[in-house]
Amino acid sequence: MANHKSAIKRFRQDKKRTLHNRYYAKTMRNAVRKLRAITDKEEAVKLYPVVQKMLDKLAKTNIIHKNKAANIKSSLSQHINKLG
């Protein structure tokens, strides 16, 4: 454990941020899983903008990398286009 006051505060802040980031990253992964599990094209098309917005927000706040967000959006749109 750190000895300096500033290091102790940094440790507290890091813990708090880690929990925050982990929550939103997990929520995003669950939303992506839910969208991939959908077999109805209409439902998938309705849910896609919600997931896309979530990915963009997480990329903007550096919780996930912007290229990762782009790759996920691309693969989801391909998935939706394959649905009959």
Side-chain angles (χ1 to χ4, degrees), residues 20-84:
H20 178 267
N21 292 345
R22 193 182 297 157
Y23 169 78
Y24 283 104
K26 184 70 173 175
T27 305
M28 178 268 303
R29 284 196 301 271
N30 287 337
V32 169
R33 270 191 215 110
K34 184 178 176 184
L35 183 59
R36 284 204 175 113
I38 292 175
T39 55
D40 182 32
K41 188 168 186 166
E42 282 183 33
E43 279 184 54
V45 169
K46 283 181 190 173
L47 187 62
Y48 181 68
V50 175
V51 176
Q52 189 177 15
K53 186 177 178 182
M54 190 183 299
L55 287 165
D56 288 337
K57 279 186 178 179
L58 293 178
K60 189 172 95 175
T61 56
N62 290 322
I63 293 173
I64 60 172
H65 196 273
K66 62 179 183 159
N67 290 351
K68 180 181 176 120
N71 288 336
I72 293 172
K73 286 192 291 187
S74 174
S75 70
L76 287 175
S77 65
Q78 285 176 350
H79 170 73
I80 291 170
N81 288 334
K82 284 181 187 174
L83 294 176

